Amino acid sequence: MPNSVLIINCGSSSIKFALLLKDQNFRIHGLAENLGTPNARIKGVTMGNEPVDIHIPNADHKEALEVGLSRIANHKPDAIGHRIVHGGKLTQAELITDDIIDIIRAATPLAPLHNPAHLVGIEATRRLFPDLPQVAVFDTAFHQTMPAHAYRYAVPKYLYTEHNVRRYGFHGTSHAYVSERGSELAGSYKKGGWLTAHLGNGSSTCAIWNGQSIDTSMGLTPLEGLVMGTRSGDVDPSLHSFLAKNLGWDIYKIDKMLNSQSGLLGLSDLSNDMRTLIEASEKGHEDATLAIEVFCYRLAKSLAALSCGLPRLDGLFFTGGIGENSAFIREKTLSYLPHFDFNFSKEKNDSLKRGTEGRIDAGTGPQIWVVPTDEEGRIAQETTLVVNQKMSTSNVKKSQAEITTA
Ligand code: AMP
């Protein structure tokens, strides 16, 4: 059973890593950024909580991992968990083998920015730690319980059967963790009907019934759904042909605009950062005020829509940087849901301290909770589960072999 799990979250030019030590409930974090450029560096904190900033000009993923991990050499991990955005149709975390690598590679057209970077990270850690078990934990896996009427698009069937065009959903580790922890706090662990709102730079909602995802706001890619930091969320699909026909834009330009120049940034023409927008709005910045209003209205609309999938609504969980920290956004969102019998407590909402979990309704109607997410903890937990299963399976095989040869 692993005592320490290294969590790797590999982007195209960055790696977030964290070492979680089970016994001491202790974590060490690091971030390698600008990889492959002269400005590549590693930032983090030492065991003694000292800040670290190491310049590693032109380092690639493997070099960055070598340098980063040499700083925590006293704590060699027992297992490695990789966060993988797209796992295609895989329904759970998997031990990384050549076959699983092929499946991650095959899902690349569905996550072209993320999956190739994850493969680079897997390749690097496999070379650095050839003897360690490594596990892939997929953002999409939790949503594989969605029924077909939630995951199918109303487009010709062959696009689904031959090209896998369907809704997958993302942020699965966060929705899974938050709904489990939240329902536990509410005294009905993995029971009943809940909505989760993961609100950060990327945002999504999810409807969960008895611990299983039954619908979510993101779709084929993480662009569908809510207004996000720089992502538009839902737009009329004809926007693409409108821009192509009238402005002569090609698909790459449209993709870039919708993913990197839209959302809060596009609406406000100021920033993708909610804190900055709230401050600007307080000083009278009209576009910042509008961006916040659109964000909250569209979020409320998504929660109301997802509630259709639930036989019963027991409550709502807020999480993510915005959901955990902004009493203002929580209050504004709930003001757009007056017909759900939420009995919101302004006093409890305002008094909740940053990063703490707590209930913010007045005790009647569907419950409302703030539940800080813990994606790293969840990845470590899933990695441990898969490694334990593998060890018990190989022990069973060993004893069967011993019986056979005895
Ligand atoms: P995440 O991607 O989960 O780290 O969340 C990042 C987002 O959380 C950014 O838009 C931040 O501005 C926002 N955020 C963090 N703290 C606050 C706060 N106190 N009030 C409003 N937004 C916040």
Side-chain angles (χ1 to χ4, degrees):
M1 179 163 177
N3 280 316
S4 62
V5 180
L6 178 67
I7 310 294
I8 303 281
N9 182 354
C10 238
S12 54
S13 63
S14 69
I15 308 172
K16 282 188 200 154
F17 52 92
L19 186 71
L20 275 67
L21 309 182
K22 182 173 147 248
D23 291 344
Q24 298 145 51
N25 203 11
F26 186 71
R27 299 183 185 194
I28 302 161
H29 289 99
L31 168 69
E33 57 187 359
N34 304 321
L35 297 177
T37 77
N39 295 326
R41 56 196 329 120
I42 295 182
K43 291 179 179 169
V45 284
T46 64
M47 301 292 210
N49 236 359
E50 295 293 315
V52 174
D53 190 348
I54 313 166
H55 196 200
I56 44 170
N58 302 312
D60 62 10
H61 287 71
K62 180 168 174 284
E63 280 173 79
L65 277 170
E66 270 169 353
V67 176
L69 299 180
S70 68
R71 313 289 298 192
I72 49 172
N74 298 346
H75 292 281
K76 186 171 179 272
D78 298 322
I80 301 179
H82 290 265
R83 179 220 173 192
I84 309 289
V85 164
H86 217 303
K89 288 188 177 167
L90 290 174
T91 56
Q92 58 186 27
E94 297 281 353
L95 196 71
I96 295 178
T97 59
D98 291 344
D99 287 347
I100 294 296
I101 289 176
D102 286 344
I103 292 174
I104 297 171
R105 191 171 292 115
T108 292
L110 299 167
L113 299 179
H114 294 98
N115 275 21
H118 300 326
L119 290 168
V120 171
I122 290 173
E123 169 74 22
T125 49
R126 278 184 128 195
R127 267 190 280 144
L128 280 172
F129 301 108
D131 303 328
L132 287 190
Q134 306 208 19
V135 173
V137 181
F138 303 100
D139 274 16
T140 45
F142 181 59
H143 302 298
Q144 284 292 314
T145 46
M146 284 194 288
H149 63 256
Y151 72 68
R152 284 289 295 277
Y153 289 111
V155 295
K157 184 175 176 182
Y158 69 87
L159 288 174
Y160 170 63
T161 51
E162 293 170 31
H163 302 284
N164 302 314
V165 173
R166 53 159 284 178
R167 305 183 65 253
Y168 289 93
F170 298 85
H171 289 146
T173 47
S174 179
H175 291 298
Y177 171 79
V178 168
S179 59
E180 280 184 26
R181 175 68 188 145
S183 59
E184 184 181 24
L185 288 169
S188 54
Y189 180 65
K190 290 175 87 170
K191 289 273 178 295
W194 300 93
L195 296 168
T196 45
H198 175 108
L199 311 174
N201 227 340
S203 295
S204 65
T205 49
C206 185
I208 295 130
W209 177 248
N210 288 343
Q212 296 198 323
S213 169
I214 52 159
D215 202 355
T216 189
S217 60
M218 285 177 167
L220 175 73
T221 74
L223 183 58
E224 186 176 333
L226 306 179
V227 172
M228 305 179 222
T230 61
R231 281 173 255 170
S232 62
D234 293 341
V235 292
D236 184 332
S238 294
L239 177 63
H240 295 70
S241 59
F242 175 88
L243 295 172
K245 285 178 198 154
N246 293 291
L247 306 183
W249 288 18
D250 65 22
I251 202 68
Y252 301 101
K253 187 164 174 165
I254 297 171
D255 229 28
K256 189 169 172 200
M257 179 275 288
L258 292 173
N259 276 289
S260 322
Q261 298 157 358
S262 298
L264 294 174
L265 174 66
L267 278 162
S268 67
D269 206 17
L270 177 69
S271 172
N272 65 321
D273 188 280
M274 185 57 93
R275 238 175 324 188
T276 308
L277 295 184
I278 294 172
E279 281 164 20
S281 170
E282 283 165 358
K283 291 181 189 144
H285 194 295
E286 287 181 12
D287 289 329
T289 305
L290 178 69
I292 294 167
E293 214 64 49
V294 177
F295 179 91
C296 294
Y297 176 65
R298 289 266 299 269
L299 168 59
K301 201 164 130 174
S302 169
L303 291 168
L306 288 195
S307 74
C308 293
L310 293 173
R312 183 183 79 228
L313 178 61
D314 289 295
L316 165 64
F317 303 126
F318 284 102
T319 195
I322 300 171
E324 291 165 28
N325 296 311
S326 180
F328 172 70
I329 296 294
R330 294 193 296 259
E331 182 173 356
K332 190 171 267 306
T333 303
L334 284 157
S335 74
Y336 281 117
L337 294 165
H339 35 287
F340 276 73
D341 285 338
F342 284 121
N343 199 351
F344 173 71
S345 162
K346 182 168 171 51
E347 199 188 336
K348 286 188 188 169
N349 187 44
D350 289 347
S351 66
L352 207 65
K353 296 271 183 309
R354 291 173 65 94
T356 47
E357 54 191 23
R359 188 168 172 180
I360 57 168
D361 63 84
T364 56
Q367 301 185 25
I368 318 168
W369 289 81
V370 176
V371 181
T373 195
D374 184 7
E375 289 171 283
E376 285 168 356
R378 176 81 187 188
I379 293 173
Q381 195 187 19
E382 293 202 27
T383 300
T384 303
L385 256 172
V386 171
V387 171
N388 288 347
Q389 270 165 9
K390 182 196 159 229
M391 279 165 62
S392 60
T393 318
S394 67
N395 284 344
V396 170
K397 279 191 185 147
K398 226 163 84 187
S399 34
Q400 279 170 344
E402 278 163 10
I403 292 165
T404 319
T405 49

PDB file of all heavy atoms in Angstrom, residues 286-311:
ATOM      1  N   GLU A 286     -18.472  49.268 -15.914  1.00  0.00           N
ATOM      2  CA  GLU A 286     -19.750  48.691 -16.365  1.00  0.00           C
ATOM      3  C   GLU A 286     -19.586  47.330 -17.031  1.00  0.00           C
ATOM      4  O   GLU A 286     -20.411  46.430 -16.852  1.00  0.00           O
ATOM      5  CB  GLU A 286     -20.448  49.662 -17.324  1.00  0.00           C
ATOM      6  CG  GLU A 286     -21.021  50.848 -16.581  1.00  0.00           C
ATOM      7  CD  GLU A 286     -21.752  51.817 -17.499  1.00  0.00           C
ATOM      8  OE1 GLU A 286     -22.001  51.460 -18.673  1.00  0.00           O
ATOM      9  OE2 GLU A 286     -22.052  52.926 -17.023  1.00  0.00           O
ATOM     10  N   ASP A 287     -18.511  47.173 -17.828  1.00  0.00           N
ATOM     11  CA  ASP A 287     -18.327  45.888 -18.506  1.00  0.00           C
ATOM     12  C   ASP A 287     -17.969  44.782 -17.507  1.00  0.00           C
ATOM     13  O   ASP A 287     -18.337  43.612 -17.700  1.00  0.00           O
ATOM     14  CB  ASP A 287     -17.251  46.003 -19.591  1.00  0.00           C
ATOM     15  CG  ASP A 287     -17.755  46.847 -20.770  1.00  0.00           C
ATOM     16  OD1 ASP A 287     -18.979  46.821 -21.022  1.00  0.00           O
ATOM     17  OD2 ASP A 287     -16.935  47.518 -21.412  1.00  0.00           O
ATOM     18  N   ALA A 288     -17.241  45.145 -16.452  1.00  0.00           N
ATOM     19  CA  ALA A 288     -16.940  44.152 -15.404  1.00  0.00           C
ATOM     20  C   ALA A 288     -18.234  43.733 -14.722  1.00  0.00           C
ATOM     21  O   ALA A 288     -18.465  42.539 -14.461  1.00  0.00           O
ATOM     22  CB  ALA A 288     -15.959  44.731 -14.383  1.00  0.00           C
ATOM     23  N   THR A 289     -19.114  44.692 -14.456  1.00  0.00           N
ATOM     24  CA  THR A 289     -20.404  44.392 -13.824  1.00  0.00           C
ATOM     25  C   THR A 289     -21.223  43.461 -14.714  1.00  0.00           C
ATOM     26  O   THR A 289     -21.805  42.479 -14.237  1.00  0.00           O
ATOM     27  CB  THR A 289     -21.190  45.709 -13.582  1.00  0.00           C
ATOM     28  OG1 THR A 289     -20.350  46.573 -12.823  1.00  0.00           O
ATOM     29  CG2 THR A 289     -22.494  45.466 -12.843  1.00  0.00           C
ATOM     30  N   LEU A 290     -21.234  43.749 -16.018  1.00  0.00           N
ATOM     31  CA  LEU A 290     -21.997  42.899 -16.941  1.00  0.00           C
ATOM     32  C   LEU A 290     -21.415  41.478 -16.989  1.00  0.00           C
ATOM     33  O   LEU A 290     -22.152  40.489 -16.968  1.00  0.00           O
ATOM     34  CB  LEU A 290     -22.008  43.507 -18.347  1.00  0.00           C
ATOM     35  CG  LEU A 290     -22.755  42.643 -19.363  1.00  0.00           C
ATOM     36  CD1 LEU A 290     -24.248  42.632 -19.069  1.00  0.00           C
ATOM     37  CD2 LEU A 290     -22.489  43.101 -20.793  1.00  0.00           C
ATOM     38  N   ALA A 291     -20.075  41.392 -17.028  1.00  0.00           N
ATOM     39  CA  ALA A 291     -19.430  40.067 -17.091  1.00  0.00           C
ATOM     40  C   ALA A 291     -19.839  39.227 -15.878  1.00  0.00           C
ATOM     41  O   ALA A 291     -20.167  38.036 -16.016  1.00  0.00           O
ATOM     42  CB  ALA A 291     -17.904  40.219 -17.144  1.00  0.00           C
ATOM     43  N   ILE A 292     -19.868  39.835 -14.698  1.00  0.00           N
ATOM     44  CA  ILE A 292     -20.248  39.116 -13.470  1.00  0.00           C
ATOM     45  C   ILE A 292     -21.714  38.672 -13.558  1.00  0.00           C
ATOM     46  O   ILE A 292     -22.065  37.547 -13.207  1.00  0.00           O
ATOM     47  CB  ILE A 292     -20.028  40.027 -12.231  1.00  0.00           C
ATOM     48  CG1 ILE A 292     -18.530  40.290 -12.057  1.00  0.00           C
ATOM     49  CG2 ILE A 292     -20.634  39.418 -10.980  1.00  0.00           C
ATOM     50  CD1 ILE A 292     -18.215  41.414 -11.084  1.00  0.00           C
ATOM     51  N   GLU A 293     -22.542  39.579 -14.063  1.00  0.00           N
ATOM     52  CA  GLU A 293     -23.977  39.277 -14.169  1.00  0.00           C
ATOM     53  C   GLU A 293     -24.211  38.110 -15.134  1.00  0.00           C
ATOM     54  O   GLU A 293     -24.985  37.198 -14.838  1.00  0.00           O
ATOM     55  CB  GLU A 293     -24.706  40.531 -14.670  1.00  0.00           C
ATOM     56  CG  GLU A 293     -26.095  40.708 -14.111  1.00  0.00           C
ATOM     57  CD  GLU A 293     -26.099  40.925 -12.597  1.00  0.00           C
ATOM     58  OE1 GLU A 293     -25.340  41.776 -12.098  1.00  0.00           O
ATOM     59  OE2 GLU A 293     -26.862  40.218 -11.935  1.00  0.00           O
ATOM     60  N   VAL A 294     -23.540  38.136 -16.282  1.00  0.00           N
ATOM     61  CA  VAL A 294     -23.708  37.047 -17.263  1.00  0.00           C
ATOM     62  C   VAL A 294     -23.218  35.737 -16.654  1.00  0.00           C
ATOM     63  O   VAL A 294     -23.852  34.688 -16.777  1.00  0.00           O
ATOM     64  CB  VAL A 294     -22.954  37.367 -18.584  1.00  0.00           C
ATOM     65  CG1 VAL A 294     -23.068  36.203 -19.566  1.00  0.00           C
ATOM     66  CG2 VAL A 294     -23.478  38.639 -19.227  1.00  0.00           C
ATOM     67  N   PHE A 295     -22.070  35.801 -15.968  1.00  0.00           N
ATOM     68  CA  PHE A 295     -21.497  34.607 -15.329  1.00  0.00           C
ATOM     69  C   PHE A 295     -22.524  33.969 -14.377  1.00  0.00           C
ATOM     70  O   PHE A 295     -22.800  32.766 -14.447  1.00  0.00           O
ATOM     71  CB  PHE A 295     -20.227  35.009 -14.560  1.00  0.00           C
ATOM     72  CG  PHE A 295     -19.549  33.877 -13.835  1.00  0.00           C
ATOM     73  CD1 PHE A 295     -18.554  33.125 -14.450  1.00  0.00           C
ATOM     74  CD2 PHE A 295     -19.884  33.564 -12.519  1.00  0.00           C
ATOM     75  CE1 PHE A 295     -17.923  32.079 -13.779  1.00  0.00           C
ATOM     76  CE2 PHE A 295     -19.264  32.521 -11.840  1.00  0.00           C
ATOM     77  CZ  PHE A 295     -18.283  31.780 -12.475  1.00  0.00           C
ATOM     78  N   CYS A 296     -23.108  34.780 -13.496  1.00  0.00           N
ATOM     79  CA  CYS A 296     -24.024  34.244 -12.470  1.00  0.00           C
ATOM     80  C   CYS A 296     -25.344  33.778 -13.085  1.00  0.00           C
ATOM     81  O   CYS A 296     -25.887  32.738 -12.706  1.00  0.00           O
ATOM     82  CB  CYS A 296     -24.302  35.300 -11.393  1.00  0.00           C
ATOM     83  SG  CYS A 296     -22.833  35.690 -10.440  1.00  0.00           S
ATOM     84  N   TYR A 297     -25.863  34.539 -14.043  1.00  0.00           N
ATOM     85  CA  TYR A 297     -27.129  34.168 -14.668  1.00  0.00           C
ATOM     86  C   TYR A 297     -26.985  32.839 -15.414  1.00  0.00           C
ATOM     87  O   TYR A 297     -27.800  31.921 -15.287  1.00  0.00           O
ATOM     88  CB  TYR A 297     -27.606  35.272 -15.625  1.00  0.00           C
ATOM     89  CG  TYR A 297     -28.853  34.879 -16.367  1.00  0.00           C
ATOM     90  CD1 TYR A 297     -30.048  34.672 -15.695  1.00  0.00           C
ATOM     91  CD2 TYR A 297     -28.822  34.667 -17.741  1.00  0.00           C
ATOM     92  CE1 TYR A 297     -31.192  34.267 -16.370  1.00  0.00           C
ATOM     93  CE2 TYR A 297     -29.955  34.259 -18.427  1.00  0.00           C
ATOM     94  CZ  TYR A 297     -31.135  34.063 -17.734  1.00  0.00           C
ATOM     95  OH  TYR A 297     -32.260  33.645 -18.395  1.00  0.00           O
ATOM     96  N   ARG A 298     -25.902  32.724 -16.187  1.00  0.00           N
ATOM     97  CA  ARG A 298     -25.698  31.491 -16.971  1.00  0.00           C
ATOM     98  C   ARG A 298     -25.440  30.299 -16.051  1.00  0.00           C
ATOM     99  O   ARG A 298     -25.820  29.166 -16.350  1.00  0.00           O
ATOM    100  CB  ARG A 298     -24.542  31.701 -17.954  1.00  0.00           C
ATOM    101  CG  ARG A 298     -24.888  32.659 -19.106  1.00  0.00           C
ATOM    102  CD  ARG A 298     -25.376  31.885 -20.324  1.00  0.00           C
ATOM    103  NE  ARG A 298     -24.325  30.994 -20.770  1.00  0.00           N
ATOM    104  CZ  ARG A 298     -23.404  31.313 -21.675  1.00  0.00           C
ATOM    105  NH1 ARG A 298     -23.443  32.485 -22.274  1.00  0.00           N
ATOM    106  NH2 ARG A 298     -22.471  30.457 -22.009  1.00  0.00           N
ATOM    107  N   LEU A 299     -24.780  30.548 -14.928  1.00  0.00           N
ATOM    108  CA  LEU A 299     -24.544  29.484 -13.951  1.00  0.00           C
ATOM    109  C   LEU A 299     -25.881  29.009 -13.367  1.00  0.00           C
ATOM    110  O   LEU A 299     -26.143  27.799 -13.288  1.00  0.00           O
ATOM    111  CB  LEU A 299     -23.609  30.009 -12.849  1.00  0.00           C
ATOM    112  CG  LEU A 299     -23.468  29.167 -11.592  1.00  0.00           C
ATOM    113  CD1 LEU A 299     -22.946  27.773 -11.921  1.00  0.00           C
ATOM    114  CD2 LEU A 299     -22.512  29.855 -10.603  1.00  0.00           C
ATOM    115  N   ALA A 300     -26.727  29.962 -12.974  1.00  0.00           N
ATOM    116  CA  ALA A 300     -28.041  29.608 -12.404  1.00  0.00           C
ATOM    117  C   ALA A 300     -28.859  28.838 -13.438  1.00  0.00           C
ATOM    118  O   ALA A 300     -29.510  27.830 -13.118  1.00  0.00           O
ATOM    119  CB  ALA A 300     -28.774  30.871 -11.965  1.00  0.00           C
ATOM    120  N   LYS A 301     -28.807  29.293 -14.689  1.00  0.00           N
ATOM    121  CA  LYS A 301     -29.558  28.642 -15.768  1.00  0.00           C
ATOM    122  C   LYS A 301     -29.085  27.189 -15.939  1.00  0.00           C
ATOM    123  O   LYS A 301     -29.890  26.275 -16.121  1.00  0.00           O
ATOM    124  CB  LYS A 301     -29.301  29.450 -17.042  1.00  0.00           C
ATOM    125  CG  LYS A 301     -30.297  29.302 -18.122  1.00  0.00           C
ATOM    126  CD  LYS A 301     -30.118  30.444 -19.108  1.00  0.00           C
ATOM    127  CE  LYS A 301     -30.027  29.958 -20.511  1.00  0.00           C
ATOM    128  NZ  LYS A 301     -29.987  31.023 -21.513  1.00  0.00           N
ATOM    129  N   SER A 302     -27.777  26.981 -15.863  1.00  0.00           N
ATOM    130  CA  SER A 302     -27.230  25.635 -16.014  1.00  0.00           C
ATOM    131  C   SER A 302     -27.661  24.743 -14.847  1.00  0.00           C
ATOM    132  O   SER A 302     -28.041  23.580 -15.041  1.00  0.00           O
ATOM    133  CB  SER A 302     -25.699  25.729 -16.094  1.00  0.00           C
ATOM    134  OG  SER A 302     -25.116  24.465 -15.999  1.00  0.00           O
ATOM    135  N   LEU A 303     -27.633  25.289 -13.626  1.00  0.00           N
ATOM    136  CA  LEU A 303     -28.044  24.489 -12.457  1.00  0.00           C
ATOM    137  C   LEU A 303     -29.519  24.098 -12.580  1.00  0.00           C
ATOM    138  O   LEU A 303     -29.892  22.957 -12.312  1.00  0.00           O
ATOM    139  CB  LEU A 303     -27.804  25.278 -11.164  1.00  0.00           C
ATOM    140  CG  LEU A 303     -26.329  25.496 -10.802  1.00  0.00           C
ATOM    141  CD1 LEU A 303     -26.204  26.534  -9.681  1.00  0.00           C
ATOM    142  CD2 LEU A 303     -25.674  24.184 -10.369  1.00  0.00           C
ATOM    143  N   ALA A 304     -30.336  25.059 -13.001  1.00  0.00           N
ATOM    144  CA  ALA A 304     -31.772  24.775 -13.151  1.00  0.00           C
ATOM    145  C   ALA A 304     -31.969  23.690 -14.214  1.00  0.00           C
ATOM    146  O   ALA A 304     -32.759  22.758 -14.022  1.00  0.00           O
ATOM    147  CB  ALA A 304     -32.516  26.047 -13.531  1.00  0.00           C
ATOM    148  N   ALA A 305     -31.238  23.797 -15.322  1.00  0.00           N
ATOM    149  CA  ALA A 305     -31.381  22.808 -16.399  1.00  0.00           C
ATOM    150  C   ALA A 305     -30.951  21.420 -15.915  1.00  0.00           C
ATOM    151  O   ALA A 305     -31.647  20.428 -16.142  1.00  0.00           O
ATOM    152  CB  ALA A 305     -30.553  23.232 -17.609  1.00  0.00           C
ATOM    153  N   LEU A 306     -29.816  21.339 -15.233  1.00  0.00           N
ATOM    154  CA  LEU A 306     -29.321  20.031 -14.787  1.00  0.00           C
ATOM    155  C   LEU A 306     -30.232  19.402 -13.747  1.00  0.00           C
ATOM    156  O   LEU A 306     -30.285  18.176 -13.614  1.00  0.00           O
ATOM    157  CB  LEU A 306     -27.906  20.163 -14.210  1.00  0.00           C
ATOM    158  CG  LEU A 306     -26.762  20.414 -15.189  1.00  0.00           C
ATOM    159  CD1 LEU A 306     -25.431  20.151 -14.511  1.00  0.00           C
ATOM    160  CD2 LEU A 306     -26.873  19.558 -16.428  1.00  0.00           C
ATOM    161  N   SER A 307     -30.964  20.240 -12.999  1.00  0.00           N
ATOM    162  CA  SER A 307     -31.842  19.678 -11.961  1.00  0.00           C
ATOM    163  C   SER A 307     -32.919  18.781 -12.584  1.00  0.00           C
ATOM    164  O   SER A 307     -33.475  17.931 -11.905  1.00  0.00           O
ATOM    165  CB  SER A 307     -32.479  20.795 -11.133  1.00  0.00           C
ATOM    166  OG  SER A 307     -33.490  21.441 -11.881  1.00  0.00           O
ATOM    167  N   CYS A 308     -33.192  18.966 -13.892  1.00  0.00           N
ATOM    168  CA  CYS A 308     -34.197  18.126 -14.583  1.00  0.00           C
ATOM    169  C   CYS A 308     -33.823  16.651 -14.527  1.00  0.00           C
ATOM    170  O   CYS A 308     -34.689  15.784 -14.607  1.00  0.00           O
ATOM    171  CB  CYS A 308     -34.298  18.503 -16.057  1.00  0.00           C
ATOM    172  SG  CYS A 308     -34.968  20.125 -16.298  1.00  0.00           S
ATOM    173  N   GLY A 309     -32.536  16.358 -14.430  1.00  0.00           N
ATOM    174  CA  GLY A 309     -32.102  14.955 -14.410  1.00  0.00           C
ATOM    175  C   GLY A 309     -32.253  14.302 -13.045  1.00  0.00           C
ATOM    176  O   GLY A 309     -32.059  13.089 -12.915  1.00  0.00           O
ATOM    177  N   LEU A 310     -32.545  15.082 -12.010  1.00  0.00           N
ATOM    178  CA  LEU A 310     -32.573  14.533 -10.651  1.00  0.00           C
ATOM    179  C   LEU A 310     -33.999  14.181 -10.226  1.00  0.00           C
ATOM    180  O   LEU A 310     -34.889  15.031 -10.329  1.00  0.00           O
ATOM    181  CB  LEU A 310     -32.031  15.568  -9.658  1.00  0.00           C
ATOM    182  CG  LEU A 310     -30.549  15.922  -9.777  1.00  0.00           C
ATOM    183  CD1 LEU A 310     -30.216  17.076  -8.849  1.00  0.00           C
ATOM    184  CD2 LEU A 310     -29.680  14.714  -9.452  1.00  0.00           C
ATOM    185  N   PRO A 311     -34.221  12.965  -9.717  1.00  0.00           N
ATOM    186  CA  PRO A 311     -35.555  12.635  -9.199  1.00  0.00           C
ATOM    187  C   PRO A 311     -35.949  13.544  -8.034  1.00  0.00           C
ATOM    188  O   PRO A 311     -37.124  13.786  -7.793  1.00  0.00           O
ATOM    189  CB  PRO A 311     -35.398  11.191  -8.706  1.00  0.00           C
ATOM    190  CG  PRO A 311     -34.204  10.653  -9.408  1.00  0.00           C
ATOM    191  CD  PRO A 311     -33.304  11.823  -9.655  1.00  0.00           C
TER     192      PRO A 311
END
